[in-house]
Amino acid sequence: MIHNIWHYFLYLYGLFLDSLSVCDNNNRLSTLSINKTQYLGRWYFLAAAAIPGTTALETFTVMDNAEFSVRQCREEEKLDFRAAIRIKDGPCVPRKWIYLLPEGSIELRTEGHPDRLTQLFPPRCPHCVILKETDNSYARLLLYSRTPQLEEEFMEEFKKKSSCEGYTDILTLPQQQDYCQIED
């Protein structure tokens, strides 16, 4: 009897500790719950986070700023991404790729990169989105906003989410130069 009470107590104690955690890893959006039109339009890439000592953030260290355009493809399950990336030494670099939205999945796929998975997390920030990108060689969180400047409380939320994932290396883009034009 005491053994059963002890197990019950430990179970309740574990539930209590879980309820105190600021890390909610279950709030990912599934492709069924994504309102695609909500994510269409212009986005600014503001910050990235990764596990210390990895190469996951190397791509972003040369960037000053980046603006993205998200458009619906003809096929319903695809989104077209186009980027205009300003490199710190001045030139603009255009990029484009397609995200695949497999029905019922919680992960987006990148066309041409079968090992790359992307999950969407809805932050409290009404004009932001956090993506978790994983591949065979890296894992990282990416913060995008509808505006190039973000309120400090929402940047702090991104840092907390990063910490919960174990990503304590955080890179914020400097945004000191003019934005480039996105090519159509």
Side-chain angles (χ1 to χ4, degrees), residues 115-174:
D115 296 330
R116 186 175 301 158
L117 303 175
T118 303
Q119 299 173 335
L120 277 75
F121 293 87
R124 286 179 314 133
C125 173
H127 52 275
C128 302
V129 67
I130 296 173
L131 303 182
K132 181 178 182 180
E133 240 181 27
T134 56
D135 199 325
N136 288 336
S137 60
Y138 64 81
R140 57 193 177 202
L141 287 182
L142 309 172
L143 175 63
Y144 293 86
S145 174
R146 293 284 188 185
T147 61
Q149 303 301 317
L150 192 60
E151 297 89 342
E152 188 58 35
E153 68 180 290
F154 299 130
M155 186 57 79
E156 286 304 313
E157 179 186 5
F158 175 73
K159 290 176 182 177
K160 286 178 187 173
K161 172 73 176 155
S162 299
S163 178
C164 287
E165 296 282 338
Y167 302 163
T168 54
D169 271 0
I170 297 176
L171 179 136
T172 304
L173 296 188

Side-chain angles (χ1 to χ4, degrees), residues 5 14 20 62 64 72 78 81 86 107 112 119 125 129 134-135 143 147 178:
I5 292 172
L20 296 178
V62 297
D64 178 76
Q72 179 68 55
K78 293 183 178 184
F81 275 60
R86 171 74 71 182
E107 300 161 334
Q119 299 173 335
C125 173
V129 67
T134 56
D135 199 325
L143 175 63
T147 61
D178 292 335

